[in-house]
Amino acid sequence: MPSADRFLTVHRDPHSAEVLARGGGSEAHSVLERAGFVPVVRLDETYHRAPTGLAPDTENQLATEAVARLRAAGYHVGCDEDFNTGRRPARYPTLGSSVAHLAEHLREATTTEDAADALTELTAPYDGVLAAIEQVLYAAADFHDGLGAAADPYTARRLRHLADRHTPHPRRSTCAGEVPAGERERSAVCACPPPPCTAPVRPPPAVAAGLRR
C-alpha cells in the first residue's frame, strides 16, 4: 500500500477561494513549486497555494497542470473536478538531480582520484557547477535591477555580493612551504597557524520591504 506521503489533495478552499495543495513529501513539494505553486510554512504544517492575483481560469489551468505532473510522478491526487485531468506529461531529470549524481559518485569512490573527478565537476573554473551558479546570481541581480520596486536594488546588490565575495578564510591559509622530499605536491590548505583575522566584508544594508508573490 502506498505510504501517506504519496497522497495529496488539490482543492479550492470554500471559505477563502484560494487554490490549495496539501500533503506529499519533499519530492511532491518540488513538483508543486515547479508547476507554479507557492509554499506556505506554518508551525504545524507546510502546504502550497496558487499565487495571488490570478484570474480563476488561470488558477484552474495551474492546478490542472500540477495534478497532471503529480500523477505522472506516481502520486495519488484527490482534486476538484475542475482540476481533474487524464494527461500525464513526460518527466525529465532535473538540473538538481544531475548535480546530486555527484554524491552517488562520491559514495561509490574507491580512490582519491575517483573522488577528485566528482569534485572537479563542482569546481571547474569555466563550466563547473559553482561557476554556473555564479552566472545565475549575476543574471538574477540584473533582473532585479530593472523591476523598479524599493527593495529590488538591495536584492540585486545582495546577489552580486554573494557572487563577488572571495574572502580568505580566517583559519585557513595557503601553504607557502616547500614540498617535502616524500610528497609529490603540497596541499592547497595546510595546518599552519592561521593569519590574523580581518574584518569580514559587510553585505549591503537591509531594506525593509514586504514582498508577496
Side-chain angles (χ1 to χ4, degrees), residues 24-188:
S26 297
E27 181 191 14
H29 297 173
S30 292
V31 173
L32 285 166
E33 289 170 32
R34 284 190 170 92
F37 275 72
V38 178
V40 180
V41 180
R42 305 293 188 196
L43 289 176
D44 55 344
E45 69 169 333
T46 296
Y47 62 94
H48 289 74
R49 61 166 175 80
T52 58
L54 299 181
D57 287 347
T58 304
E59 288 181 329
N60 289 354
Q61 292 171 7
L62 184 144
T64 302
E65 178 65 18
V67 170
R69 293 190 188 190
L70 286 165
R71 287 176 175 168
Y75 288 92
H76 302 265
V77 185
C79 64
D80 294 350
E81 187 57 36
D82 288 342
F83 312 150
N84 199 18
T85 177
R87 191 173 70 87
R88 300 293 183 270
R91 300 187 67 208
Y92 301 98
T94 64
L95 291 176
S97 65
S98 299
V99 175
H101 282 308
L102 297 177
E104 293 301 319
H105 293 323
L106 284 168
R107 292 188 185 100
E108 296 170 359
T110 57
T111 67
T112 55
E113 287 82 0
D114 292 341
D117 287 343
L119 291 173
T120 299
E121 290 298 326
L122 291 175
T123 60
Y126 176 70
D127 55 1
V129 174
L130 295 180
I133 290 174
E134 183 177 18
Q135 294 181 43
V136 171
L137 290 174
Y138 279 122
D142 292 341
F143 176 82
H144 280 83
D145 263 338
L147 288 180
D152 295 331
Y154 164 74
T155 302
R157 290 195 302 272
R158 180 62 179 172
L159 289 168
R160 290 193 179 95
H161 170 76
L162 292 174
D164 290 336
R165 188 176 185 187
H166 300 287
T167 304
H169 195 287
R171 296 189 178 277
R172 300 181 184 181
S173 63
T174 300
C175 182
E178 295 183 358
V179 180
E183 293 185 13
R184 292 185 298 173
E185 59 184 22
R186 64 178 173 82
S187 172

